[in-house]
Amino acid sequence: MAKDVRLLETALVPEAALAAFAAAHPQAGGIVSFTGKVRPDGDVEALELSHYERLTLPGMETLADDTLGRWPLDGLLIQHRIGVMRPGDAIVLVAAAARHRRDAFQAADFAMDHLKSDAWFWKREKRADGWHWIEPRAQDHADRHRWNQDTDLAP
Amino acid sequence: MAKDVRLLETALVPEAALAAFAAAHPQAGGIVSFTGKVRPDGDVEALELSHYERLTLPGMETLADDTLGRWPLDGLLIQHRIGVMRPGDAIVLVAAAARHRRDAFQAADFAMDHLKSDAWFWKREKRADGWHWIEPRAQDHADRHRWNQDTDLAP
Amino acid sequence: MSVTLVFLGKLADLAGAPERAVEAPLDWSSLVEALDGPLGDAVAGEKVRVAVNGTVLPEKTALFAEDGDEVALLPPVSGG
Amino acid sequence: MSVTLVFLGKLADLAGAPERAVEAPLDWSSLVEALDGPLGDAVAGEKVRVAVNGTVLPEKTALFAEDGDEVALLPPVSGG
């Protein structure tokens, strides 16, 4: 099973997930991973990610298929939290296992750029004065546009 | 302590090292890691990496400093095995923690390219007919030359 | 005889609930009519997209939904 | 009164040992003289570099080592 894509409503534990992923792909020479966490700086007390059942996980599956189609990988892991998280909690984990290092780096980088700008998540932060919806970041769109444009999974 | 560089004579356990690294850098928004293993394919029974005390670890420290000088990182981890390894054993782990995803990806990629082509290690493989020294791979040099050239740490 | 509207992101705040039932059939003009005030303005805004039963419409003004359909109103995504 | 030669990688195989003591002082011509056969050819080859006490020489023919110095003979690295 080359693709392992999940939406998690409870804690994402990157080290445990990576250990299981590595064990599932003993033939891979290299594994690149990215873990994204809620930053503990600033005055953010909590972060909530909402999703839409009919689009979010299917869109992540399509992104995984697209990534697997672009680089020769032994395996690809995408885990994404939804719900309420606290500073320090992991939000997202992407891992790519490949025979060749460069393929694993590029695949993980590509998947992250698209998850950040292209996946069906809506984010709000709780600060001292209440909840605030987060708008898309221009940098995330710029990151995605480094890749060519036949892979828009969401507007 | 932003830099953690080690030569290991016994087993490198990537998940444990990554968990410790993440715990040491709670403020980082993102962590990129690369784990390289002895591939279990082909007829390789064992791999031996030798090093030179007076150059290898100092060279890795210099590489870490150089990487930290190029990208704004919260932390950088480089662990490299020496000695005899079996198929499936981890050889190298690089992890970069940063506020911004792109910095962490580039730093880990850069450090790996230089470790593969530029660090003071000599490698031999044991196959059915005995031990064979491994020559440098042209691809590794090409990978390193993607970065600019003021960072040659070894010929 | 109803269509379920699903409000995502900040549209759920504006709507006061994550879902609302409206009368079927539903087209773009009857949707805009059903959603007044800031919610209607937001949905009509160019950045909001519309999906029917999990398929995003290339052009939301072509909306047509019947009894039992689910119409999702999707503001710009804000990333993971 | 000796210099320690350290052979790395396949040079250790050719030398039959990881280290060897040679008489001090040592310059490039006396090193080449001390290492005959395939080992000498390999060390003289353009890809082998030389370090004295942990400092790689820009030009190995400029070698000069005295009593107590460590001279490392470094074939091309093969990566991690």
Side-chain angles (χ1 to χ4, degrees), chain C residues 55-66:
Chain C
T55 299
V56 181
L57 301 179
E59 177 49 69
K60 66 186 173 188
T61 57
L63 170 68
F64 184 76
E66 297 182 284

Side-chain angles (χ1 to χ4, degrees), chain D:
Chain D
M1 298 294 282
S2 72
V3 168
T4 303
L5 300 182
V6 179
F7 303 102
L8 280 307
K10 65 182 174 188
L11 297 180
D13 282 358
L14 292 174
E19 295 188 7
R20 183 186 299 182
V22 295
E23 201 172 321
L26 184 75
D27 65 9
W28 176 248
S29 64
S30 55
L31 173 67
V32 171
E33 201 168 317
L35 305 173
D36 47 16
L39 177 60
D41 294 344
V43 168
E46 64 175 31
K47 289 181 171 177
V48 169
R49 304 203 55 181
V50 175
V52 178
N53 298 329
T55 299
V56 181
L57 302 179
E59 177 50 68
K60 65 186 173 187
T61 57
L63 169 69
F64 184 76
E66 298 181 283
D67 182 45
D69 286 346
E70 179 171 297
V71 173
L73 304 169
L74 310 157
V77 298
S78 42

Side-chain angles (χ1 to χ4, degrees), chain A residues 3-64:
Chain A
K3 180 176 69 169
D4 184 350
V5 179
R6 306 184 200 194
L7 273 180
L8 302 177
E9 300 195 42
T10 54
L12 164 54
V13 184
E15 296 79 21
L18 275 176
F21 180 69
H25 299 290
Q27 79 286 12
I31 294 179
V32 170
S33 76
F34 175 82
T35 303
K37 296 186 295 180
V38 183
R39 280 196 211 110
D41 51 17
D43 61 346
V44 175
E45 298 166 10
L47 182 81
E48 185 182 38
L49 274 178
S50 52
H51 76 300
Y52 178 45
E53 188 85 31
R54 296 203 189 201
L55 287 178
T56 308
L57 189 57
M60 289 164 64
E61 298 271 0
T62 301
L63 170 60

